[in-house]
């Protein structure tokens, strides 16, 4: 069989290409399924340690610079642009029973924020259009129209014992908040890991 080694090379290259596009956890699952003797994944504390260290370093640099490195309006109040510009009719319609330009408030945000969801995994409130679970519709004393500060908004719903609780406690002790590691809306990795 002269083509057999070439077939193995092509198969190996295809597998490498498929696995390269996966998250580290999915890559591990695929490799350990195909090959024997693959070492175990490190514990979450070790696996995420490097990422947490880089986030902490960025936060410390930001604090040292007085917040000049931040690209957003962190710590500042925010307001919805249509509300700020007194364009109430972009969301509200006094002639409809619901009072909104669409039938329900769960459809309202997606009138303007189209193509927003871009991931295999979607956070529950986003999946059902309940943006108002976390965001204020008009103005907020928090950035991004959040109902609570970014470090507290997740706790309104997520009160369960965390998986990898040691990692979460360690992260909190270093002033990391949920959104430093998790995307609050959607993602291509389970648990919306960044």
């Amino acid at each position: 069989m002269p083509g057999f080694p070439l077939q193995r090379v092509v198969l190996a290259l295809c597998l490498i290409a498929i696995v390269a596009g996966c998250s580290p956890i999915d890559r591990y699952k695929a490799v350990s399924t195909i090959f024997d003797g693959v070492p175990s994944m490190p514990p979450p504390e070790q696996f995420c340690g490097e990422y947490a260290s880089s986030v902490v370093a960025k936060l410390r640099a930001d604090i040292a610079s007085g917040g000049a490195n931040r690209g957003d309006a962190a710590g500042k109040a925010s307001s919805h642009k249509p509300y700020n510009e007194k364009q109430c009719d972009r969301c509200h319609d006094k002639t409809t029973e619901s009072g909104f330009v669409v039938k329900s408030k769960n459809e309202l945000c997606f009138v303007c924020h189209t193509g927003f969801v871009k991931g295999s995994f979607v956070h529950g409130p986003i999946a059902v259009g309940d943006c108002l679970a976390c965001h204020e519709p008009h103005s907020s004393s928090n950035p991004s129209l959040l109902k609570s500060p970014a470090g507290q908004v997740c706790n309104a719903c997520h009160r369960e014992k965390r998986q990898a609780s040691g990692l979460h406690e360690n992260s909190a002790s270093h002033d990391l908040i949920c959104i430093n590691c998790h995307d609050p809306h959607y993602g291509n990795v389970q648990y919306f890991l960044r």
Side-chain angles (χ1 to χ4, degrees):
M1 275 195 199
F4 184 70
L6 180 60
Q7 288 174 340
R8 278 187 148 176
V9 170
V10 170
L11 179 63
L13 290 174
C14 289
L15 286 173
I16 290 170
I18 290 169
V19 171
C22 299
S23 71
I25 294 169
D26 288 338
R27 213 173 10 253
Y28 172 78
K29 287 178 183 176
V31 170
S32 63
T33 301
I34 297 169
F35 302 106
D36 291 332
V38 175
S40 298
M41 287 283 289
E45 289 80 7
Q46 181 182 347
F47 185 71
C48 298
E50 184 178 311
Y51 177 74
S53 297
S54 69
V55 171
V56 168
K58 287 179 189 175
L59 287 172
R60 287 186 178 150
D62 185 42
I63 290 168
S65 69
N69 295 334
R70 293 183 187 172
D72 63 347
K76 296 184 180 176
S78 57
S79 66
H80 199 214
K81 188 175 178 182
Y83 173 78
N84 202 31
E85 294 176 353
K86 309 274 189 262
Q87 296 177 350
C88 304
D89 58 341
R90 289 186 65 189
C91 300
H92 297 282
D93 182 359
K94 294 177 187 172
T95 64
T96 63
E97 188 177 320
S98 70
F100 300 118
V101 295
V102 291
K103 290 184 181 180
S104 78
K105 67 180 181 179
N106 291 358
E107 300 169 304
L108 186 60
C109 298
F110 296 117
V111 169
C112 295
H113 299 276
T114 58
F116 180 74
V117 178
K118 302 173 190 162
S120 305
F121 297 92
V122 181
H123 192 212
I126 300 302
V128 298
D130 191 12
C131 304
L132 300 180
C134 302
H135 298 278
E136 295 288 353
H138 300 122
S139 63
S140 172
S141 58
N142 300 298
S144 303
L145 293 169
L146 289 173
K147 287 186 169 186
S148 306
Q152 299 170 11
V153 73
C154 302
N155 294 331
C157 297
H158 294 281
R159 297 179 184 168
E160 72 278 0
K161 182 171 170 46
R162 303 283 193 261
Q163 290 185 355
S165 60
L167 172 68
H168 286 99
E169 290 165 9
N170 189 31
S171 299
S173 72
H174 287 92
D175 296 325
L176 293 175
I177 58 175
C178 304
I179 61 173
N180 290 128
C181 300
H182 303 273
D183 188 294
H185 300 113
Y186 53 81
N188 285 319
V189 180
Q190 192 174 14
Y191 309 117
F192 319 110
L193 291 170
R194 293 184 185 268

